[in-house]
Amino acid sequence: MKTALRILTVALLATVAGCTPGGEADSSDEAAPSCAGVVTYENRTYLPAGEVGFTVGERLGTAETAECNDTPGEPEVAVPAGTTAAYAVEGRNPAEAIAVGDSPAAARLMEVD
């Protein structure tokens, strides 16, 4: 649960800061996506889908999170590599969306990049 909260916190902080996937601040008007919160499952990359209603289905396996540091000057907010449970999302193909988290109740919706 702590890992999921840490990933979500870093994702929110990086989104506010407007960081690029390479970890450098983006000075353009368009905010670049953050590497925090990104998971890989069956060779597909998924990004957080936001606060959308969904129903968690059966456990599919394990999703991986890569090490991420969107704020190079602040190592304490770096997210270490890790794993989390991947779940089916009722009514959605896993090639399009999955849910990830330490439990079905804590899972959040992720959509393929």
Side-chain angles (χ1 to χ4, degrees), residues 41-56:
Y41 175 73
E42 290 192 343
N43 297 318
R44 290 184 294 268
T45 301
Y46 295 84
L47 300 173
E51 298 297 321
V52 178
F54 66 98
T55 302
V56 176

Side-chain angles (χ1 to χ4, degrees), residues 1-70:
M1 181 81 168
K2 288 182 182 179
T3 300
L5 290 173
R6 197 173 335 164
I7 290 170
L8 181 57
T9 300
V10 172
L12 292 172
L13 289 172
T15 300
V16 170
C19 297
T20 65
E24 298 176 10
D26 183 6
S27 60
S28 70
D29 289 338
E30 289 185 37
S34 168
C35 61
V38 175
V39 299
T40 303
Y41 175 73
E42 290 192 343
N43 297 318
R44 290 184 294 268
T45 301
Y46 295 84
L47 300 173
E51 298 297 321
V52 178
F54 66 98
T55 302
V56 176
E58 66 183 42
R59 183 177 170 140
L60 299 172
T62 302
E64 297 178 356
T65 58
E67 182 176 352
C68 174
N69 186 353
D70 282 342

Side-chain angles (χ1 to χ4, degrees), residues 86-111:
Y87 299 93
V89 175
E90 289 188 13
R92 304 281 304 265
N93 183 322
E96 299 171 358
I98 60 173
V100 297
D102 293 333
S103 69
R108 66 188 190 285
L109 182 63
M110 307 291 284
E111 292 181 334

